Amino acid sequence: MTQRKLIDHAVNEVLLAIADDELVCGHRDSEWCAFAPMIEEDVAFASIAQDEMGHARLLYQLLEARGQGSLDQLAFGRPVTGYKNAQLLERKNAGWAQAIARHLVYDLYDDLLTGRLLEACQLVEVADIARLVRREERYHLEHQETWINHLGHGGDGAKARLDTALGQVLAEAGGLFEDLPAHRQLAEAGLLPGVPSDLQIEFSQRLSALCLAAGLSEPAIPSGGLGGRLGQHTADMSECLATMTEVLGRAPGAIW
Amino acid sequence: MSHEPVEETVYEVFGQTDRGEPYVQLGSLPAADPEMGLMLARELFSRRGEVISLWLVERQEIHATERLDGDLIRGTDRTYRMGEGYRVTVEKRQRLRRVKP
């Protein structure tokens, strides 16, 4: 492959990893519809789900423009090993504490990814998408912060449940910061100002500060849950894909 | 484990569609405190980008007239008091804004 082709390939890989994170996160969020603690939160969380899906759409559209297949095919038409999302995001929903803990971890990571790496990258289309996405992600982060502040200072064992959930989430969050060879290639070529693993220190500092303010225990360092970026997934991912593509699979090629 | 319902306040939500426009009531919601209320109001009432600003007002802080107060609806002809011209102020302001760079 020529250098140009190598770089193009690396850009596609990196975009796919970000898009798949957003898609899978959005799907799990959407599963909260009708099950959130109160009806107002039901709408709020579903709205966030739509935001995440929208971000995935922007990125898949960019990949479509780069000749990587159609939007629908990219989102729903790949084998499970073709998805590059972090394993943490595909895990089945397991209670409201897990939902808030996982989303907080993801939003904080996403804030650093878009703010530190993507906005400053030399790929104009990617930087533009990052700026758009960040305007919504700011509110997502505020949403999760509001919740952890309330649960952290709430009664009825809420703090203990959130602490436990955050511990479980962080034990699978290492995969978010996993570098692909593609990340390193782009960083070496000067197109990306760094790689995802560079974000870990600031991530942990900010998470610690948020936990302290919310009265939660000192959070662990993200670890585990590796391999998602390389297409290695848990059984939860197969279930997630099967659910997402259930209708599409019954009538392939149907026009809506 | 006990599951006592959390004490919640009912808030009325008002939104503004543009700078200088009046705040219009959008609906109401119960929330544990104003922080939670504003967060929910943002997702509930501006998720399609309809408003640029939101107000949250505790419902119990609103002082209102009796519902269906017959004396509010007067019988005499009062049309001579109507400042019809003022009704187009909003329109004029919007037109002016469009003309300005």
Side-chain angles (χ1 to χ4, degrees):
Chain A
M1 266 198 270
T2 64
Q3 179 66 12
R4 173 70 198 271
K5 275 191 173 164
L6 276 171
I7 292 291
D8 273 347
H9 182 70
V11 170
N12 294 339
E13 295 263 296
V14 167
L15 288 176
L16 211 49
I18 306 165
D20 292 346
D21 273 0
E22 299 274 32
L23 177 75
V24 172
C25 173
H27 175 74
R28 288 299 183 206
D29 287 353
S30 76
E31 290 184 322
W32 273 104
C33 196
F35 298 98
M38 63 261 197
I39 196 163
E40 290 79 11
E41 180 57 35
D42 227 86
V43 180
F45 219 61
S47 167
I48 290 176
Q50 287 182 318
D51 286 347
E52 305 293 12
M53 293 284 191
H55 301 165
R57 189 165 186 264
L58 282 172
L59 291 155
Y60 289 135
Q61 278 171 330
L62 178 54
L63 282 159
E64 187 179 59
R66 294 173 60 85
Q68 297 304 297
S70 73
L71 171 62
D72 280 349
Q73 190 270 323
L74 282 164
F76 303 125
R78 285 174 288 151
V80 65
T81 49
Y83 286 81
K84 296 184 177 297
N85 55 285
Q87 287 182 3
L88 173 69
L89 302 171
E90 77 207 28
R91 302 301 268 168
K92 283 184 184 168
N93 292 340
W96 190 241
Q98 181 244 25
I100 291 299
R102 173 164 65 181
H103 228 297
L104 173 72
V105 165
Y106 178 59
D107 287 340
L108 203 49
Y109 154 80
D110 206 20
D111 188 52
L112 290 165
L113 176 79
T114 53
R116 294 272 180 271
L117 297 189
L118 303 184
E119 265 191 347
C121 85
Q122 298 299 309
L123 305 151
V124 182
E125 299 104 320
V126 180
D128 284 347
I129 290 177
R131 266 186 290 278
L132 270 180
V133 163
R134 277 175 72 73
R135 287 173 54 183
E136 287 175 352
E137 292 293 351
R138 197 191 111 207
Y139 290 119
H140 296 182
L141 200 50
E142 277 179 27
H143 174 274
Q144 319 321 340
E145 277 183 53
T146 304
W147 268 103
I148 66 159
N149 282 331
H150 282 75
L151 294 177
H153 295 115
D156 207 10
K159 174 196 165 339
R161 280 157 77 170
L162 189 54
D163 268 336
T164 306
L166 196 55
Q168 286 164 351
V169 163
L170 287 168
E172 284 190 300
L176 288 171
F177 301 91
E178 198 173 0
D179 300 329
L180 285 169
H183 288 116
R184 286 190 283 270
Q185 263 178 313
L186 295 185
E188 278 163 24
L191 292 169
L192 263 189
V195 292
S197 60
D198 295 341
L199 306 171
Q200 260 206 61
I201 293 172
E202 195 178 348
F203 170 88
S204 287
Q205 285 167 347
R206 283 181 59 185
L207 184 62
S208 285
L210 289 175
C211 286
L212 186 70
L216 298 171
S217 306
E218 176 68 24
I221 302 291
S223 62
L226 302 173
R229 300 271 184 254
L230 302 165
Q232 295 156 12
H233 295 285
T234 65
D236 289 1
M237 183 64 189
S238 307
E239 178 274 334
C240 179
L241 262 184
T243 306
M244 277 201 290
T245 59
E246 189 183 349
V247 176
L248 199 68
R250 289 197 181 176
I255 293 165
W256 299 82
Chain B
M1 207 183 285
S2 74
H3 286 279
E4 289 286 309
V6 178
E7 197 76 29
E8 286 191 323
T9 308
V10 177
Y11 295 94
E12 295 293 337
V13 183
F14 297 80
Q16 191 187 34
T17 52
D18 205 350
R19 283 172 72 107
E21 296 303 318
Y23 280 74
V24 176
Q25 191 200 8
L26 302 173
S28 61
L29 56 85
D33 57 25
E35 187 200 12
M36 196 73 156
L38 272 177
M39 180 276 282
L40 291 171
R42 208 158 42 211
E43 295 296 344
L44 258 70
F45 297 107
S46 72
R47 67 182 189 280
R48 298 188 186 99
E50 306 93 326
V51 294
I52 60 159
S53 170
L54 286 165
W55 280 354
L56 219 58
V57 178
E58 280 189 36
R59 180 181 282 172
Q60 63 176 21
E61 293 299 322
I62 295 176
H63 303 277
T65 55
E66 290 289 328
R67 209 168 262 277
L68 297 175
D69 181 346
D71 290 343
L72 272 181
I73 305 149
R74 321 258 172 132
T76 55
D77 177 15
R78 294 160 70 87
T79 49
Y80 64 93
R81 304 189 190 198
M82 304 291 186
E84 289 289 338
Y86 293 111
R87 294 197 180 171
V88 294
T89 308
V90 170
E91 234 175 85
K92 280 182 182 168
R93 191 165 57 222
Q94 283 168 347
R95 215 181 308 145
L96 199 67
R97 200 176 290 145
R98 277 198 296 271
V99 174
K100 273 198 214 160

